[in-house]
Amino acid sequence: MLVVARYHEIALKRGARSRFAAQLIDNIRRVTPDCAVGRIADQHGRIVITLRDESTWPTVRQRLARVFGIANFSAARSLPIPPGEERELAPLGRAILEEIRGRRFDSFRILTKRADKRFPIESPDVNAAIGAVVKQATGARVDLDGGELTVTIEILPREFLYSVEKLPGPGGLPVGASGRVVVLLSGGIDSPVAAARMMRRGCRVTFVHFHRAPYLDRSSQEKARELVRRLAPYQGETRLVLVPLGDAQREVVTRVAPAPRVILYRRMMVRIAAEIADRFGAEALVTGDSLGQVASQTMRNLAVVEQASRLPIFRPLIGLDKLEVMREAEALGTFDVSIEPDQDCCSLFVPRHPTTRARISAIEAAESLLDVPALMASALARSTIERHKFPAPSPEPVVEQLQI
Ligand code: ATP
Ligand code: MG
């Protein structure tokens, strides 16, 4: 059995197409090591996957629904086109009748794509010829706008591919095609959605979570871990770096007045995240900020945080409102984890009236009371990396010490 995965956006990018297709093939392989997948090849603008064991299709189908870059996909079969001048369609008609046997439908259409323009019969004529065969055998009527059943025929140089069901893919670009980013993952609703949006634009994501253990319990780390497990199917094996920020926050609380504290934590986070980004070859940071959502996300405060970062900070949710983000989190499968209560590192010691208009001079003055490089070094030295495999042989990650 074959699976045909079709891509749209990639096809538009002429020069980069083969590189993108290669990335997509790589990603499909990465998430299907246990599915008896044989050859995977880019054939005239579609990815053709050979399944050596048909019984893996339900799993393959679930996995492909999360591979970014795939616009839609189908279980398909192939029929060789005999060489020579005889290009008759009767065998294809018979094969398609065999494929739809037992299906009940009142209306249908045939959709032909002639990828090989040297094939002598044009697509509308193939549609008409095969349509007549199906109509005669089933009594169903032709409905060009869709109908109950669509049979897709793709004509390649040496074979016909035919399929009867098109399943939606997640679209976007294949993960890895645009480089790497580090996502600052809290335990909230927004940052997982921000991560998925960047993956969909072709970024491979490494996650960083800041926690306050041992001063607080491990609940925020558990949440981060579970969120990473839910996001791993979209890119395969995924790294989560856990950074203890408790000591640094203690210092801030001891030395700095309440109002600007959150800004200081955030600046510390982006500085540390940039070091981690270097370690993994990531070129930008990503947060779940959305303009005006909370006090720390005013335009002024976002700008003051940004000034502490050597790397660009992407905020894919900046123009969304909370309801839109919540809907996306539901569709993504992260919402129910995000809303579980936890001891979040930033909700503690947050003043009742946090700064909404931070001034860089005041923030820098406050920071001068701290030994920022030493606090960073100490947090990094005690950080761990977890590798969450997908598909996971066990839910437990592989844990290593972070080496910067
Ligand atoms: P979220 O729902 O993602 O937690 P939020 O609306 O609660 O966002 P904030 O708590 O102000 O907003 O956090 C803004 C962004 O800062 C988060 O989206 C995340 O990218 C980053 N961030 C906040 N806390 C942490 C943390 N403990 N570890 C890593 N990143 C964090
Ligand atoms: Mg939060």
Side-chain angles (χ1 to χ4, degrees), residues 182-194 207-212 220 224 227 241 243 245 249 262 265-266 269-270 273 286-290 293-297 302 305 313-315 317 322 325 338 342-347:
V182 161
V183 170
L184 284 77
L185 183 72
S186 55
I189 297 166
D190 304 317
S191 37
V193 174
F207 290 97
V208 177
H209 173 70
F210 297 91
H211 62 85
R212 281 180 53 90
S220 81
L227 288 169
V241 182
V243 183
L245 204 62
Q249 288 188 305
V262 174
Y265 301 155
R266 290 277 190 274
M269 285 184 190
V270 298
V286 176
T287 70
D289 294 307
S290 129
Q293 199 187 82
V294 291
S296 59
Q297 298 174 21
L302 293 176
V305 170
I313 301 180
F314 295 151
R315 300 180 174 91
L317 311 186
K322 197 78 192 181
V325 179
S338 292
D342 68 313
Q343 294 197 329
D344 169 38
C345 79
C346 291
S347 46

Side-chain angles (χ1 to χ4, degrees), residues 37-96:
V37 168
R39 195 171 121 87
I40 309 181
D42 181 32
Q43 296 199 347
H44 301 266
R46 75 254 308 126
I47 307 289
V48 180
I49 304 162
T50 307
L51 287 195
R52 287 190 268 110
D53 176 357
E54 275 196 50
S55 71
T56 63
W57 166 240
T59 309
V60 170
R61 172 186 175 143
Q62 270 178 9
R63 304 266 172 88
L64 294 185
R66 290 175 175 162
V67 174
F68 290 117
I70 297 179
N72 61 69
F73 62 103
S74 311
R77 301 205 182 269
S78 158
L79 185 72
I81 300 176
E85 293 306 302
E86 306 260 322
R87 294 293 166 88
E88 54 150 355
L89 294 171
L92 179 62
R94 283 195 294 276
I96 287 173

Side-chain angles (χ1 to χ4, degrees), residues 73-383:
F73 62 103
S74 311
R77 301 205 182 269
S78 158
L79 185 72
I81 300 176
E85 293 306 302
E86 306 260 322
R87 294 293 166 88
E88 54 150 355
L89 294 171
L92 179 62
R94 283 195 294 276
I96 287 173
L97 283 186
E98 175 63 24
E99 189 62 24
I100 62 179
R101 203 167 47 159
R103 286 183 189 251
R104 262 172 230 294
F105 54 94
D106 291 326
S107 60
F108 73 99
R109 70 173 160 173
I110 312 287
L111 260 186
T112 302
K113 274 242 162 67
R114 197 169 48 135
D116 178 14
K117 298 287 184 226
R118 290 166 309 177
F119 187 80
I121 308 171
E122 289 188 13
S123 301
D125 297 334
V126 176
N127 291 342
I130 302 295
V133 170
V134 173
K135 190 172 167 183
Q136 207 203 351
T138 63
R141 72 190 158 78
V142 174
D143 179 349
L144 294 179
D145 295 327
E148 288 171 44
L149 189 82
T150 297
V151 178
T152 303
I153 299 171
E154 296 166 272
I155 304 175
L156 305 188
R158 279 183 297 278
E159 59 184 335
F160 298 111
L161 302 177
Y162 56 98
S163 48
V164 290
E165 201 182 7
K166 237 182 218 177
L167 301 161
L173 304 176
V175 166
S178 310
R180 284 177 190 270
V181 294
V182 161
V183 170
L184 284 77
L185 183 72
S186 55
I189 297 166
D190 304 317
S191 37
V193 174
R197 284 206 163 205
M198 295 311 295
M199 287 178 185
R200 192 162 186 273
R201 294 314 300 161
C203 294
R204 190 167 294 288
V205 169
T206 299
F207 290 97
V208 177
H209 173 70
F210 297 91
H211 62 85
R212 281 180 53 90
Y215 304 107
L216 292 179
D217 69 19
R218 300 176 64 83
S219 57
S220 81
Q221 292 173 72
E222 287 301 333
K223 272 177 83 173
R225 212 168 266 142
E226 184 54 28
L227 288 169
V228 167
R229 278 191 208 111
R230 302 227 178 168
L231 290 165
Y234 294 90
Q235 66 169 9
E237 180 175 303
T238 300
R239 286 190 175 80
L240 167 65
V241 182
L242 294 164
V243 183
L245 204 62
D247 289 333
Q249 288 188 305
R250 264 201 167 184
E251 278 292 298
V252 172
V253 170
T254 325
R255 296 177 194 278
V256 178
R261 280 177 194 165
V262 174
I263 306 287
L264 265 64
Y265 301 155
R266 290 277 190 274
R267 282 166 63 93
M268 194 81 82
M269 285 184 190
V270 298
R271 286 192 184 103
I272 292 173
E275 297 298 309
I276 294 167
D278 289 350
R279 158 77 173 68
F280 291 103
E283 295 172 281
L285 308 181
V286 176
T287 70
D289 294 307
S290 129
L291 190 62
Q293 199 187 82
V294 291
S296 59
Q297 298 174 21
T298 61
M299 208 185 305
R300 173 74 71 87
N301 287 0
L302 293 176
V304 170
V305 170
E306 191 139 339
Q307 286 184 45
S309 179
R310 283 189 285 113
L311 295 178
I313 301 180
F314 295 151
R315 300 180 174 91
L317 311 186
I318 196 70
L320 299 195
D321 62 49
K322 197 78 192 181
L323 267 175
E324 291 170 306
V325 179
M326 282 161 63
R327 244 180 266 134
E328 266 189 56
E330 297 243 26
L332 195 60
T334 54
F335 184 76
D336 57 319
V337 181
S338 292
I339 58 174
E340 275 172 31
D342 68 313
Q343 294 197 329
D344 169 38
C345 79
C346 291
S347 46
L348 212 76
F349 306 126
V350 169
R352 210 157 330 143
H353 300 291
T355 309
T356 53
R357 295 185 60 76
R359 282 201 341 265
I360 188 70
S361 56
I363 294 294
E364 281 173 352
E367 266 172 5
S368 72
L369 305 172
L370 309 165
D371 186 349
V372 173
L375 293 173
M376 280 173 65
S378 149
L380 282 165
R382 286 172 299 125
S383 297

